[in-house]
Amino acid sequence: MNNGAGRRINGGAEEDEDEDDVNGDLDAWERTYTDERSWESLQEDESGMLRPIDNQALYHSQYRQRLRSLSSTAARIQKGLIRYLYIVIDLSRAASEMDFRPSRIAVIAKHVETFIREFFYQNPLSQVGIVTIKDGVAHCLTDIGGSPESHINALMKKLECSGDSSLQNALDLVDGYLNQIPSYGHREVLILYSALSTCDPGDIMDTIQKCRKSKIRCSVIGLAAEMFICKHLCQETGGTYSVALDESHFKELILEHAPPPPAIAEFAVANLIKMGFPQRAAEGSISICSCHKEAKVGAGYTCPRCKARACELPTECCVCGLTLVSSPHLARSYHHLFPIAPFDEVTSSHLNNPNCKLQRNCFGCQQSLLDPGNKPGPAIVCPKCKRYFCLDCDIYIHESLHNCPGCDSLRHS
């Protein structure tokens, strides 16, 4: 008993020594500030004084800069609205590294779930599939489809990491699947790569050229360091390559792939696509599901051509191959063709002009545009209807609503 107690005491002493080594000779109050890193939330103003950073204004200025850069070329770019995207996730032993907290694969799984939901929200006519790389072999985790829940549930059950990574095997597998996609579909691959090497059975340069001939746009997000082969792959296929610095940067990089990318010029061909608008079956109806090959009770969708049942939309009829969509899906895809123009910032000279009648409330949320002291705060104005909006409504209108409330009110009045 005494020996056991002595071992426990010694073990506790060793743990205390480890903590002292980590924290050094800092006092408790110093460790608090070290953990919070509060000095990073300060910035120097024009007079040399330290002021807290206005994160909201900083985020809005970065957002408006990105919006202007996108809108400057939006009128001259053709985008693919029907996308077929495979997400390739590296599950080699490198994905279990803990430089991202709690681990790389935990961060990947968390933000892939967010990305899949955002992808289907912005691309309701598109479909996604998931491929994993483990032990040098590529596995198709989920077939390409339009159900976000099925992809997310399948991914969360297969997060074990082991072995090496093989970029060539993944590209060969994805190329075989995407070659079956109709010509009007835009073929894309998004690779989330954690390893610093690739263990391939053959010449990966031939595989890259095969992907290029198949019109597959490959993009890579690295979690370790830049690799030449990944950069070469993206350059050859017209994709983008970037390396995440931290978790927030990784989230920003992966969400950049949710909006439709520009179509490759040599492959941008206009096509007429035959689609069907199925009717929703009654709640108590019993029918055989064509996608699950079993009898199901409840609401489904009936193909207008062959009368087969489908569980969800959008999808392709398993019997006749007709693309099945609903009218809200087309409506939600419309804003990518005609995006709303960015609003103009109201200058400080215009706000301080006594002869100018400034609207006191945001036209969207009706919140006051005046700061404490009845001084005009930051505001945005629509160049068409001349209605004033706050910063939050500006982001909401361009990111989610895709219509100006001021212009719509004038149109319906």
PDB file of all heavy atoms in Angstrom, residues 129-145:
ATOM      1  N   GLY A 129     -20.228  13.126 -54.297  1.00  0.00           N
ATOM      2  CA  GLY A 129     -19.790  11.800 -53.863  1.00  0.00           C
ATOM      3  C   GLY A 129     -18.525  11.941 -53.029  1.00  0.00           C
ATOM      4  O   GLY A 129     -17.822  12.962 -53.112  1.00  0.00           O
ATOM      5  N   ILE A 130     -18.219  10.937 -52.216  1.00  0.00           N
ATOM      6  CA  ILE A 130     -17.058  10.988 -51.317  1.00  0.00           C
ATOM      7  C   ILE A 130     -16.157   9.796 -51.601  1.00  0.00           C
ATOM      8  O   ILE A 130     -16.616   8.651 -51.679  1.00  0.00           O
ATOM      9  CB  ILE A 130     -17.485  10.998 -49.840  1.00  0.00           C
ATOM     10  CG1 ILE A 130     -18.325  12.239 -49.538  1.00  0.00           C
ATOM     11  CG2 ILE A 130     -16.266  10.966 -48.926  1.00  0.00           C
ATOM     12  CD1 ILE A 130     -18.801  12.311 -48.100  1.00  0.00           C
ATOM     13  N   VAL A 131     -14.856  10.061 -51.755  1.00  0.00           N
ATOM     14  CA  VAL A 131     -13.825   9.044 -51.936  1.00  0.00           C
ATOM     15  C   VAL A 131     -12.789   9.227 -50.838  1.00  0.00           C
ATOM     16  O   VAL A 131     -12.403  10.359 -50.518  1.00  0.00           O
ATOM     17  CB  VAL A 131     -13.170   9.152 -53.331  1.00  0.00           C
ATOM     18  CG1 VAL A 131     -11.936   8.267 -53.430  1.00  0.00           C
ATOM     19  CG2 VAL A 131     -14.166   8.773 -54.418  1.00  0.00           C
ATOM     20  N   THR A 132     -12.334   8.129 -50.241  1.00  0.00           N
ATOM     21  CA  THR A 132     -11.317   8.186 -49.189  1.00  0.00           C
ATOM     22  C   THR A 132     -10.062   7.455 -49.651  1.00  0.00           C
ATOM     23  O   THR A 132     -10.127   6.523 -50.464  1.00  0.00           O
ATOM     24  CB  THR A 132     -11.829   7.564 -47.887  1.00  0.00           C
ATOM     25  OG1 THR A 132     -12.201   6.192 -48.122  1.00  0.00           O
ATOM     26  CG2 THR A 132     -13.041   8.314 -47.368  1.00  0.00           C
ATOM     27  N   ILE A 133      -8.908   7.888 -49.113  1.00  0.00           N
ATOM     28  CA  ILE A 133      -7.619   7.257 -49.401  1.00  0.00           C
ATOM     29  C   ILE A 133      -7.063   6.710 -48.088  1.00  0.00           C
ATOM     30  O   ILE A 133      -6.854   7.476 -47.135  1.00  0.00           O
ATOM     31  CB  ILE A 133      -6.621   8.243 -50.017  1.00  0.00           C
ATOM     32  CG1 ILE A 133      -7.244   9.040 -51.167  1.00  0.00           C
ATOM     33  CG2 ILE A 133      -5.379   7.518 -50.493  1.00  0.00           C
ATOM     34  CD1 ILE A 133      -6.347  10.141 -51.697  1.00  0.00           C
ATOM     35  N   LYS A 134      -6.833   5.396 -48.040  1.00  0.00           N
ATOM     36  CA  LYS A 134      -6.304   4.761 -46.837  1.00  0.00           C
ATOM     37  C   LYS A 134      -5.470   3.555 -47.235  1.00  0.00           C
ATOM     38  O   LYS A 134      -5.857   2.788 -48.126  1.00  0.00           O
ATOM     39  CB  LYS A 134      -7.448   4.329 -45.913  1.00  0.00           C
ATOM     40  CG  LYS A 134      -6.974   3.710 -44.596  1.00  0.00           C
ATOM     41  CD  LYS A 134      -8.127   3.066 -43.854  1.00  0.00           C
ATOM     42  CE  LYS A 134      -9.149   4.082 -43.419  1.00  0.00           C
ATOM     43  NZ  LYS A 134     -10.210   3.459 -42.568  1.00  0.00           N
ATOM     44  N   ASP A 135      -4.304   3.404 -46.596  1.00  0.00           N
ATOM     45  CA  ASP A 135      -3.406   2.274 -46.871  1.00  0.00           C
ATOM     46  C   ASP A 135      -3.024   2.192 -48.352  1.00  0.00           C
ATOM     47  O   ASP A 135      -2.891   1.099 -48.920  1.00  0.00           O
ATOM     48  CB  ASP A 135      -4.052   0.960 -46.431  1.00  0.00           C
ATOM     49  CG  ASP A 135      -4.303   0.924 -44.927  1.00  0.00           C
ATOM     50  OD1 ASP A 135      -3.440   1.422 -44.187  1.00  0.00           O
ATOM     51  OD2 ASP A 135      -5.357   0.423 -44.509  1.00  0.00           O
ATOM     52  N   GLY A 136      -2.891   3.354 -48.997  1.00  0.00           N
ATOM     53  CA  GLY A 136      -2.491   3.394 -50.395  1.00  0.00           C
ATOM     54  C   GLY A 136      -3.569   3.011 -51.381  1.00  0.00           C
ATOM     55  O   GLY A 136      -3.289   2.891 -52.577  1.00  0.00           O
ATOM     56  N   VAL A 137      -4.801   2.828 -50.911  1.00  0.00           N
ATOM     57  CA  VAL A 137      -5.908   2.397 -51.772  1.00  0.00           C
ATOM     58  C   VAL A 137      -7.028   3.437 -51.664  1.00  0.00           C
ATOM     59  O   VAL A 137      -7.313   3.954 -50.579  1.00  0.00           O
ATOM     60  CB  VAL A 137      -6.427   1.004 -51.368  1.00  0.00           C
ATOM     61  CG1 VAL A 137      -7.555   0.566 -52.283  1.00  0.00           C
ATOM     62  CG2 VAL A 137      -5.291  -0.002 -51.386  1.00  0.00           C
ATOM     63  N   ALA A 138      -7.663   3.732 -52.793  1.00  0.00           N
ATOM     64  CA  ALA A 138      -8.799   4.653 -52.830  1.00  0.00           C
ATOM     65  C   ALA A 138     -10.098   3.854 -52.748  1.00  0.00           C
ATOM     66  O   ALA A 138     -10.270   2.849 -53.450  1.00  0.00           O
ATOM     67  CB  ALA A 138      -8.768   5.500 -54.098  1.00  0.00           C
ATOM     68  N   HIS A 139     -11.004   4.304 -51.889  1.00  0.00           N
ATOM     69  CA  HIS A 139     -12.297   3.649 -51.697  1.00  0.00           C
ATOM     70  C   HIS A 139     -13.408   4.651 -51.972  1.00  0.00           C
ATOM     71  O   HIS A 139     -13.312   5.813 -51.559  1.00  0.00           O
ATOM     72  CB  HIS A 139     -12.440   3.108 -50.268  1.00  0.00           C
ATOM     73  CG  HIS A 139     -11.336   2.196 -49.844  1.00  0.00           C
ATOM     74  ND1 HIS A 139     -11.359   0.841 -50.083  1.00  0.00           N
ATOM     75  CD2 HIS A 139     -10.162   2.454 -49.193  1.00  0.00           C
ATOM     76  CE1 HIS A 139     -10.249   0.296 -49.603  1.00  0.00           C
ATOM     77  NE2 HIS A 139      -9.514   1.253 -49.057  1.00  0.00           N
ATOM     78  N   CYS A 140     -14.451   4.191 -52.647  1.00  0.00           N
ATOM     79  CA  CYS A 140     -15.630   5.031 -52.859  1.00  0.00           C
ATOM     80  C   CYS A 140     -16.533   4.898 -51.638  1.00  0.00           C
ATOM     81  O   CYS A 140     -17.179   3.860 -51.448  1.00  0.00           O
ATOM     82  CB  CYS A 140     -16.363   4.626 -54.136  1.00  0.00           C
ATOM     83  SG  CYS A 140     -17.795   5.667 -54.499  1.00  0.00           S
ATOM     84  N   LEU A 141     -16.576   5.916 -50.815  1.00  0.00           N
ATOM     85  CA  LEU A 141     -17.381   5.867 -49.594  1.00  0.00           C
ATOM     86  C   LEU A 141     -18.862   6.028 -49.898  1.00  0.00           C
ATOM     87  O   LEU A 141     -19.698   5.294 -49.359  1.00  0.00           O
ATOM     88  CB  LEU A 141     -16.906   6.959 -48.624  1.00  0.00           C
ATOM     89  CG  LEU A 141     -17.525   6.956 -47.232  1.00  0.00           C
ATOM     90  CD1 LEU A 141     -17.205   5.656 -46.509  1.00  0.00           C
ATOM     91  CD2 LEU A 141     -17.011   8.144 -46.412  1.00  0.00           C
ATOM     92  N   THR A 142     -19.215   6.980 -50.744  1.00  0.00           N
ATOM     93  CA  THR A 142     -20.609   7.174 -51.148  1.00  0.00           C
ATOM     94  C   THR A 142     -20.649   7.445 -52.641  1.00  0.00           C
ATOM     95  O   THR A 142     -19.793   8.154 -53.182  1.00  0.00           O
ATOM     96  CB  THR A 142     -21.261   8.354 -50.402  1.00  0.00           C
ATOM     97  OG1 THR A 142     -20.534   9.558 -50.672  1.00  0.00           O
ATOM     98  CG2 THR A 142     -21.288   8.109 -48.903  1.00  0.00           C
ATOM     99  N   ASP A 143     -21.636   6.865 -53.298  1.00  0.00           N
ATOM    100  CA  ASP A 143     -21.847   7.152 -54.711  1.00  0.00           C
ATOM    101  C   ASP A 143     -22.364   8.577 -54.879  1.00  0.00           C
ATOM    102  O   ASP A 143     -22.897   9.180 -53.937  1.00  0.00           O
ATOM    103  CB  ASP A 143     -22.841   6.168 -55.314  1.00  0.00           C
ATOM    104  CG  ASP A 143     -22.280   4.753 -55.363  1.00  0.00           C
ATOM    105  OD1 ASP A 143     -21.055   4.627 -55.535  1.00  0.00           O
ATOM    106  OD2 ASP A 143     -23.070   3.797 -55.205  1.00  0.00           O
ATOM    107  N   ILE A 144     -22.218   9.106 -56.070  1.00  0.00           N
ATOM    108  CA  ILE A 144     -22.633  10.473 -56.316  1.00  0.00           C
ATOM    109  C   ILE A 144     -24.154  10.573 -56.199  1.00  0.00           C
ATOM    110  O   ILE A 144     -24.896   9.732 -56.698  1.00  0.00           O
ATOM    111  CB  ILE A 144     -22.126  10.939 -57.697  1.00  0.00           C
ATOM    112  CG1 ILE A 144     -22.037  12.452 -57.762  1.00  0.00           C
ATOM    113  CG2 ILE A 144     -22.951  10.362 -58.829  1.00  0.00           C
ATOM    114  CD1 ILE A 144     -21.078  12.958 -58.786  1.00  0.00           C
ATOM    115  N   GLY A 145     -24.616  11.571 -55.458  1.00  0.00           N
ATOM    116  CA  GLY A 145     -26.044  11.705 -55.202  1.00  0.00           C
ATOM    117  C   GLY A 145     -26.363  13.068 -54.632  1.00  0.00           C
ATOM    118  O   GLY A 145     -25.477  13.900 -54.391  1.00  0.00           O
TER     119      GLY A 145
END
